[in-house]
Amino acid sequence: MPDAGKSPVYSASEIGAVVLEFLTFLTTLHRDSAGLEMPPPGGWPSYTPENCAGLKSDLVIEVLRNLPYLRSFDSHEDSLGQIHYKSCLLDYTTFDSEILTESEYLWEYVSDGGDESVPDHVFIFSEGRESGGRTLFLDVLHGKVIEVEIRGGNEPIIQDIKEYFEELKKKYRNLELIPIPHMEMVELGAVGMHPGEPDEEVSKEEIMMQSDPDWDSDLDIQYTQQLYRAFGWPDNFRRVEAFRELRELIEARYAASE
């Protein structure tokens, strides 16, 4: 690509600050703050010149070496381990060239099915899985996030890194993205629903009257949003209490259907 000699839009420290702000924000919602890890002075130690030789641009290596990380204590199939819809951070804390590149075939969604390789100033930040999953590439030279939706049919989203993460935070605040313990993240657009608070509340009795034990109806999603807001979402979310109450109700309906 004709970018040789071009100055990056953001420095490595600026990119790290944007990522840290976003990951910290997630710890006020569905992610465990105990999992937030900062690189030691000098960066993650396995990013040595010998290990990194020829893999990516110097700026990518500098970003990766000093990028904060949010470790998951849950399954990759669990909302509580995800940062986006069916999407989990790559573990970049330990240098592993295979882990850092094994999913780069998803770049075909960006190159419109072509065989163009991933530029050396781009790396995968978060890996999506299955249909609809979001893979996030970070372009450190141009200061952008490229969001790829797996088998979703939508064009990749390419956006300034600061603007992208601000908009992603907004989707969480509006409960357009809804984490549910031990289940995949719910994305309103994927289920044909729209953000906004409904005029009428949903009762537990209405929830329990549904015959399908799966927690995926419009009523279920609306009740989840209602419950989270009652527990202080987004600014003062009492996560433990909210998740406990929600799981008890999900399990109760499942038991009632047997």
Side-chain angles (χ1 to χ4, degrees):
M1 298 182 72
D3 291 315
K6 183 175 180 178
S7 298
V9 173
Y10 300 115
S11 68
S13 60
E14 286 175 314
I15 293 173
V18 171
V19 170
L20 177 59
E21 183 180 21
F22 175 67
L23 298 182
T24 302
F25 168 76
L26 295 185
T27 67
T28 69
L29 299 176
H30 67 296
R31 297 298 298 268
D32 191 334
S33 60
L36 186 58
E37 299 181 9
M38 297 299 296
W44 304 113
S46 63
Y47 283 84
T48 63
E50 294 77 18
N51 287 342
C52 301
L55 180 76
K56 292 287 182 181
S57 71
D58 291 345
L59 181 58
V60 164
I61 299 304
E62 185 181 357
V63 169
L64 283 167
R65 182 187 292 122
N66 294 285
L67 210 57
Y69 183 66
L70 186 55
R71 194 165 299 283
S72 173
F73 302 109
D74 306 276
S75 164
H76 281 192
E77 299 177 9
D78 187 331
S79 297
L80 305 193
Q82 299 172 353
I83 71 161
H84 201 335
Y85 183 62
K86 295 183 180 180
S87 184
C88 297
L89 288 177
L90 250 63
D91 187 350
Y92 42 74
T93 60
T94 300
F95 180 85
D96 187 316
S97 60
E98 290 187 12
I99 289 176
L100 291 172
T101 59
E102 66 181 357
S103 297
E104 287 192 344
Y105 66 90
L106 294 168
W107 187 255
E108 69 183 24
Y109 291 94
V110 182
S111 60
D112 199 24
D115 57 1
E116 178 186 344
S117 60
V118 178
D120 70 352
H121 54 263
V122 174
F123 71 94
I124 294 180
F125 174 66
S126 186
E127 182 183 10
R129 63 178 193 82
E130 299 181 346
S131 296
R134 304 302 202 276
T135 291
L136 307 184
F137 292 88
L138 294 192
D139 178 341
V140 301
L141 179 62
H142 302 100
K144 295 185 182 297
V145 175
I146 300 105
E147 178 190 302
V148 170
E149 181 180 356
I150 300 173
R151 295 188 294 274
N154 294 316
E155 290 294 317
I157 295 170
I158 303 176
Q159 193 171 14
D160 175 87
I161 186 172
K162 293 182 178 180
E163 294 175 0
Y164 178 86
F165 284 115
E166 280 303 315
E167 289 200 9
L168 192 53
K169 285 159 64 176
K170 183 179 179 180
K171 289 179 181 179
Y172 274 108
R173 290 191 183 100
N174 293 343
L175 285 171
E176 296 175 59
L177 283 170
I178 309 171
I180 299 178
H182 314 310
M183 294 173 57
E184 292 282 9
M185 189 89 67
V186 172
E187 185 184 39
L188 291 193
V191 296
M193 295 181 67
H194 302 285
E197 297 186 41
D199 295 329
E200 297 182 4
E201 289 195 352
V202 180
S203 68
K204 286 186 179 180
E205 289 72 23
E206 290 177 274
I207 292 296
M208 291 299 294
M209 285 173 61
Q210 298 177 97
S211 58
D212 188 345
D214 292 333
W215 193 268
D216 57 9
S217 72
D218 289 0
L219 213 59
D220 296 332
I221 294 170
Q222 183 179 329
Y223 184 85
T224 303
Q225 294 172 309
Q226 175 183 301
L227 177 70
Y228 286 3
R229 289 183 175 117
F231 278 93
W233 186 286
D235 297 323
N236 298 288
F237 186 49
R238 304 194 302 281
R239 174 176 60 228
V240 174
E241 299 168 66
F243 288 168
R244 180 174 59 242
E245 183 165 324
L246 183 63
R247 285 308 309 174
E248 288 174 354
L249 187 57
I250 291 172
E251 291 167 4
R253 193 171 83 201
Y254 187 83
S257 70
E258 294 182 327

